[in-house]
Amino acid sequence: MNVYIRGIGTYLPEKIVSNHDLAKQIDTSDEWIWSRTGIRERRIAAEGEHASTMGKRAAEEAIRNAGLSPDDIDLLVVATMTPDFLFPSTAAVLQAQLGLRNVPAFDISAACSGFLYGLEVTRHLLQSGTYRNALLVGTEKLSSVLDWQDRSTCVLFGDGAGAVVLSQGATGIIDVLLAADGSNPDILYMPGGGSRMPATEASVAHRDHFLKMNGREVFKVAVRAMEQSIRDILDRNSININDIRYFIAHQANYRILDALAQRLSVPMEKFPVNVDRVGNTSAASIPLIMKEMVDDGRLKSGDNVVLVAFGAGLTWGTSLLKWKDSREMP
Ligand code: ACO
């Protein structure tokens, strides 16, 4: 059974924080951030906004753009590394906020690869025939886990949400390839707050409830893993790399995209970029940029598109899509 993306929605918080704004608070500069990452500014959630409320805004737009109503949704999957709570799931919270029927709702924890992990799980559940229309939401309030005294990490991330409605019907998602290597989880992690290190005065004083990252290591592994993953998915579907219209990559860092494009010998024009305006938004990153490309007409029916992401875990993955403009559906 074929599964396709029937509608997309996104949400970005209003507040824009530029590199110059950050340079007033920490020892950094627009020049350093721009040259190392390609980021100029990011959005930061307001007080009272969190993963579920941002996800709700994106999901409502996705349902509308799919030409459906909340009653039509029969499965809800949320990808996030910044859930409202450790439990219950953000998906359960969102089910009620969206006024969905009592449909199954669960979270996926795969950090920046979360949207691709969600795509794979969701499409198979739709293909099973049990569900007809699924809502997949990537939503992140990364500002809540950033150490605003750590200039090596806080400049990289932003908040936002993206959502897609996936439906049975047309060819859209051709393949998904996922992978993980958890042998060095501390390459990118948050040490405190889980069962291994519950919150104590000492853990708070030690700033263990913030994201920690070995940026150089992540960079190296990310480029190698995404390159191999793209080559593998194209090989197993017998598609030539030149027949791919766009490589829509997780927006972590312009230099990572540039290195990936070079290793694949693909022109940078085929790698859309919005990291300059939103920073790294983890599981929201791919739907956020896809929506821009739908709105400005870059994505056209029939385009072969590769999605690719990597994130904490480490996890990574790729998907091969045949883009289908849902406005052309019967
Ligand atoms: N402003 C100014 N100077 C800084 C800043 C900053 N914001 N941050 C670090 N520096 C300094 C460092 O202290 C260091 O100074 P020193 O040489 O005096 O010690 C110097 O800049 C170089 O630091 P490096 O960490 O070596 O810088 P690098 O060139 O490697 O760039 C970066 C760092 C941008 C983080 C890069 O390694 C990178 O992009 N890595 C990938 C990270 C990533 O994409 N993570 C997301 C993963 S996705 C997910 O799952 C969330």
Side-chain angles (χ1 to χ4, degrees):
M1 190 179 303
N2 294 320
V3 169
Y4 73 108
I5 294 176
R6 180 170 178 156
I8 306 195
T10 52
Y11 174 75
L12 286 169
E14 262 176 44
K15 186 176 178 188
I16 298 174
V17 175
S18 70
N19 295 343
H20 294 290
D21 295 330
L22 290 178
K24 288 178 199 146
Q25 290 158 30
I26 49 170
D27 182 14
T28 190
S29 64
D30 176 55
E31 198 283 326
W32 192 96
I33 302 170
W34 171 248
S35 62
R36 298 294 209 295
T37 71
I39 298 168
R40 283 277 192 220
E41 60 189 36
R42 70 287 294 143
R43 301 297 183 101
I44 299 294
E47 188 117 351
E49 281 189 315
H50 27 263
S52 65
T53 60
M54 292 189 287
K56 174 175 186 273
R57 298 284 293 271
E60 285 171 340
E61 188 179 46
I63 295 170
R64 256 195 326 274
N65 286 341
L68 298 174
S69 77
D71 275 352
D72 298 313
I73 301 298
D74 37 31
L75 174 68
L76 171 59
V77 179
V78 172
T80 185
M81 61 184 269
T82 48
D84 282 23
F85 310 111
L86 264 184
F87 63 89
S89 69
T90 300
V93 175
L94 194 51
Q95 176 272 334
Q97 286 184 10
L98 286 168
L100 303 185
R101 292 176 291 111
N102 296 125
V103 301
F106 58 90
D107 284 4
I108 286 189
S109 171
C112 302
S113 315
F115 185 77
L116 287 179
Y117 269 69
L119 207 57
E120 176 70 330
V121 169
T122 311
R123 76 161 176 139
H124 283 296
L125 287 169
L126 288 166
Q127 282 171 340
S128 74
T130 309
Y131 308 98
R132 294 173 59 82
N133 303 303
L135 183 58
L136 170 61
V137 182
T139 182
E140 301 285 10
K141 186 179 173 182
L142 289 156
S143 59
S144 68
V145 295
L146 293 177
D147 183 345
W148 292 99
Q149 295 176 15
D150 176 8
R151 66 179 183 173
S152 69
T153 52
C154 73
V155 302
L156 304 173
F157 298 92
D159 299 334
V164 293
V165 172
L166 296 151
S167 294
Q168 298 173 356
T171 308
I173 299 161
I174 295 168
D175 199 5
V176 182
L177 195 164
L178 301 177
D181 175 1
S183 50
N184 292 304
D186 55 357
I187 192 172
L188 174 49
Y189 79 139
M190 189 164 82
S195 59
R196 196 184 284 208
M197 190 196 286
T200 59
E201 277 181 31
S203 73
V204 172
H206 198 241
R207 309 186 80 73
D208 284 326
H209 300 275
F210 295 122
L211 178 153
K212 317 273 180 204
M213 178 174 70
N214 179 340
R216 287 205 167 180
E217 266 317 296
V218 174
F219 193 114
K220 274 192 283 188
V221 184
V223 175
R224 277 201 301 264
M226 287 197 290
E227 179 198 1
Q228 195 54 51
S229 188
I230 291 173
R231 293 196 187 283
D232 290 347
I233 204 166
L234 294 179
D235 269 1
R236 80 181 189 187
N237 289 278
S238 306
I239 296 203
N240 189 296
I241 196 159
N242 298 320
D243 293 329
I244 300 300
R245 182 77 187 89
Y246 288 113
F247 297 82
I248 304 180
H250 166 51
Q251 303 285 302
N253 179 319
Y254 183 86
R255 286 198 308 163
I256 290 179
L257 305 183
D258 190 46
L260 185 58
Q262 283 189 33
R263 289 172 80 117
L264 293 167
S265 303
V266 165
M268 222 14 226
E269 296 82 66
K270 288 194 171 187
F271 276 80
V273 176
N274 72 352
V275 71
D276 53 324
R277 285 167 284 125
V278 299
N280 180 344
T281 57
S282 189
S285 168
I286 287 180
L288 274 170
I289 191 154
M290 277 173 93
K291 172 73 164 43
E292 283 187 13
M293 297 173 73
V294 170
D295 287 350
D296 65 22
R298 265 179 291 173
L299 273 180
K300 296 196 174 41
S301 269
D303 282 349
N304 290 319
V305 175
V306 162
L307 310 182
V308 63
F310 72 96
L314 292 176
T315 55
W316 62 95
T318 311
S319 176
L320 182 61
L321 308 184
K322 173 77 75 183
W323 186 255
K324 180 84 201 156
D325 189 332
S326 57
R327 288 165 297 196
E328 294 169 9
M329 295 302 291

